[in-house]
């Protein structure tokens, strides 16, 4: 079933006559349109893309399955177009539509009730098709190539920022348009910051160095984390590293479709708790990845829904001890009915640089 058919099924289930799509990732997913402004209106038997003069030609090229509707002023005329359809309810993206757009539409729509889509499109986006998985894998393999490249540069004296800049240059030279989020390079005591952005801190002998980064390929994201140790290693560091690795391997072995995000999270959490580090694993096991680096499904304590086959998620347990440092190991994987397909191939046994 194609994406529009899946959306129509969802609308029917919720009793909504049409979906109004504004959010750029949802827009691209449903229509292929990459222009800056527009609204896709999908009813049970028609699919329109409403945009203005600047984007008409682009919309016609990028969204051949849609009837392109030209309005001169989107803010004023969109509601007029929606009023011309014989619908009674219109679903909107409650996490994206601003209060002002909502109130404006509400005041101009005649006899049409605005109702939240309740994440309908984001739910559909969880399950990836072959082409999406291919783009994510490509992003991931280029990210691994880049990480292998910068690993050779990590030694006492280089700053976190220098490492991050080198990564970014590498992926851009190889054709990636951008990072999927600001690269995290956190060394020494800073490694206990789960999201420590690369700073001017100089990497020193005995530091943990956590590198968490992702890149974009054909609009799809990758995400991975590796933690290294530079120079001399303490027994405590080794212990923490190996607990995180055991937790991650246990989760990777146990994860499969049908299990809830909570259950997947618990696979890793139980291991970390068993070794007495439970209080230092303060985030969820993972998250969905696709057009956005953080999307559904939830793979954490709030993830009460079962994981679906062909969703792409991360598995990233970590231990962060303030004053000492932290370790996170993150792989990117496809959830399958009988287990997982790991898209991450880079080594993860403790490496001392
Ligand atoms: Mn992640």
């Amino acid at each position: 079933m194609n994406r529009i058919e899946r959306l129509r099924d969802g609308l029917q289930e919720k009793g909504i006559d049409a979906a109004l799509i504004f959010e750029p990732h949802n827009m691209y997913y449903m229509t292929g349109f990459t222009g800056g402004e527009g609204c896709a209106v999908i009813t049970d038997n028609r699919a329109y893309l409403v945009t203005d003069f600047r984007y008409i030609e682009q919309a016609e090229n990028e969204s051949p399955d849609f009837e392109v509707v030209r309005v001169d002023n989107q803010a004023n005329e969109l509601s007029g177009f929606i009023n011309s359809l014989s619908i009674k309810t219109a679903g909107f993206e409650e996490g994206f539509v601003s209060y002002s757009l909502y109130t404006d539409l509400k005041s101009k729509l005649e006899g049409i009730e605005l109702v939240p889509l309740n994440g309908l499109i984001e739910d559909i986006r969880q399950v990836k098709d072959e082409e999406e998985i291919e783009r994510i894998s490509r992003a991931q393999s280029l990210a691994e190539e880049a990480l292998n490249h910068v690993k050779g540069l990590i030694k006492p004296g280089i700053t976190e920022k220098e490492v991050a800049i080198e990564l970014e240059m590498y992926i851009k030279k190889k054709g990636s348009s951008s990072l999927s989020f600001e690269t995290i390079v956190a060394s020494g005591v800073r490694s206990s910051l789960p999201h420590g952005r690369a700073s001017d801190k100089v990497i020193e002998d005995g530091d943990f160095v956590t590198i968490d980064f992702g890149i974009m390929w054909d609009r799809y994201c990758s995400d991975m984390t590796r933690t290294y140790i530079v120079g001399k290693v303490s027994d405590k560091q080794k212990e923490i590293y190996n607990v995180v690795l055991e937790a991650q391997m246990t989760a990777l072995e146990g994860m499969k479709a049908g299990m809830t995000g909570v259950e997947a999270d618990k696979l890793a959490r139980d291991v970390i708790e068993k070794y007495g580090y439970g209080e230092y694993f303060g985030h969820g096991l993972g998250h969905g990845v696709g057009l956005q680096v953080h999307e559904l499904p939830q793979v954490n304590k709030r993830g009460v829904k079962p994981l679906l086959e062909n969703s792409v998620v991360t598995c990233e347990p970590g231990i962060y001890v303030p004053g000492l440092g932290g370790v996170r190991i993150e792989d990117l994987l496809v959830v399958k009915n009988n287990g997982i397909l790991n898209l991450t191939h880079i080594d993860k046994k403790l490496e001392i640089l």
Side-chain angles (χ1 to χ4, degrees):
M1 207 172 14
N2 75 25
R3 297 171 183 185
I4 295 173
E5 287 167 352
R6 285 162 74 196
L7 175 62
R8 283 183 173 139
D9 273 6
L11 290 172
Q12 203 175 15
E13 241 167 66
K14 289 175 193 266
I16 302 174
D17 297 333
L20 311 179
I21 304 172
F22 294 95
E23 199 279 327
H25 301 95
N26 288 343
M27 170 71 93
Y28 174 71
Y29 183 81
M30 282 295 168
T31 72
F33 180 58
T34 61
E37 220 180 324
C39 176
V41 181
I42 300 176
T43 70
D44 64 348
N45 57 4
R46 304 290 284 267
Y48 305 96
L49 180 46
V50 184
T51 190
D52 65 56
F53 173 77
R54 295 169 297 169
Y55 301 111
I56 297 298
E57 197 182 338
Q58 184 180 350
E60 281 166 351
N61 290 334
E62 290 180 337
S63 311
D65 296 337
F66 282 71
E67 298 172 53
V68 176
V69 176
R70 178 177 162 178
V71 290
D72 284 328
N73 182 322
Q74 297 200 38
N76 289 324
E77 295 179 18
L78 174 63
S79 47
F81 172 73
I82 300 169
N83 280 330
S84 75
L85 304 169
S86 44
I87 58 169
K88 290 201 165 64
T89 48
F92 69 98
E93 298 150 310
E94 70 286 348
F96 181 77
V97 167
S98 68
Y99 181 68
S100 62
L101 175 57
Y102 174 80
T103 49
D104 182 63
L105 282 172
K106 196 174 159 75
S107 69
K108 289 176 180 156
L109 292 181
E110 294 158 4
I112 298 171
E113 191 193 350
L114 283 171
V115 293
L117 286 168
N118 280 324
L120 174 60
I121 304 170
E122 290 81 357
D123 272 339
I124 293 171
R125 277 171 46 192
Q126 284 183 60
V127 175
K128 271 67 182 175
D129 61 27
E130 251 172 60
E131 195 198 326
E132 292 179 287
I133 292 173
E134 174 63 25
R135 293 193 203 180
I136 296 168
S137 322
R138 280 189 179 207
Q140 177 57 27
S141 28
L142 178 53
E144 292 183 17
E145 201 186 306
L147 185 59
N148 277 329
H149 165 74
V150 298
K151 214 169 70 180
L153 306 172
I154 301 174
K155 50 177 172 286
I158 193 169
T159 69
E160 295 171 353
K161 255 189 200 163
E162 285 165 338
V163 174
I165 289 166
E166 194 63 41
L167 264 178
E168 189 167 350
M169 282 205 314
Y170 189 90
I171 61 127
K172 288 201 168 157
K173 277 186 204 159
K174 296 281 180 169
S176 164
S177 58
S178 65
L179 299 161
S180 46
F181 57 94
E182 201 180 326
T183 298
I184 291 166
V185 181
S187 66
V189 290
R190 288 191 78 252
S191 61
S192 67
L193 306 169
H195 275 184
R197 292 200 177 104
S199 76
D200 290 319
K201 180 187 170 300
V202 172
I203 293 171
E204 291 167 82
D205 193 38
D207 276 0
F208 272 131
V209 180
T210 297
I211 302 181
D212 181 355
F213 82 113
I215 73 168
M216 307 281 296
W217 192 266
D218 261 358
R219 298 186 169 264
Y220 279 77
C221 300
S222 73
D223 192 7
M224 118 175 109
T225 308
R226 287 292 180 266
T227 302
Y228 303 107
I229 298 178
V230 176
K232 59 174 191 301
V233 192
S234 72
D235 289 345
K236 190 78 183 164
Q237 282 176 314
K238 256 191 215 165
E239 180 190 314
I240 292 173
Y241 191 93
N242 287 324
V243 172
V244 175
L245 184 58
E246 187 181 324
Q248 203 224 22
M249 298 301 282
T250 305
L252 291 174
E253 273 163 35
M255 285 171 82
K256 60 180 178 193
M259 138 186 301
T260 65
V262 176
E263 288 165 338
D265 179 278
K266 194 170 180 299
L267 293 170
R269 201 165 298 280
D270 282 350
V271 174
I272 291 177
E273 280 172 1
K274 179 180 82 184
Y275 288 100
Y277 288 101
E279 63 178 301
Y280 302 112
F281 177 24
H283 58 71
L285 179 64
H287 52 86
V289 176
L291 288 166
Q292 287 171 289
V293 73
H294 290 132
E295 57 178 52
L296 293 177
Q298 296 208 47
V299 191
N300 57 36
K301 289 176 176 170
R302 297 179 306 282
V304 293
K305 291 187 183 167
L307 301 175
L308 301 173
E309 186 171 51
N310 291 330
S311 56
V312 173
V313 303
T314 67
C315 176
E316 49 178 311
I319 293 176
Y320 313 90
V321 184
L324 196 150
V327 172
R328 178 170 61 260
I329 305 170
E330 174 180 29
D331 283 2
L332 185 62
L333 49 104
V334 187
V335 176
K336 293 287 183 186
N337 282 334
N338 55 357
I340 57 132
L341 171 70
N342 201 332
L343 301 178
T344 315
H345 302 290
I346 203 163
D347 214 22
K348 58 188 164 194
K349 63 177 193 303
L350 177 58
E351 230 176 308
I352 296 149
L353 304 177

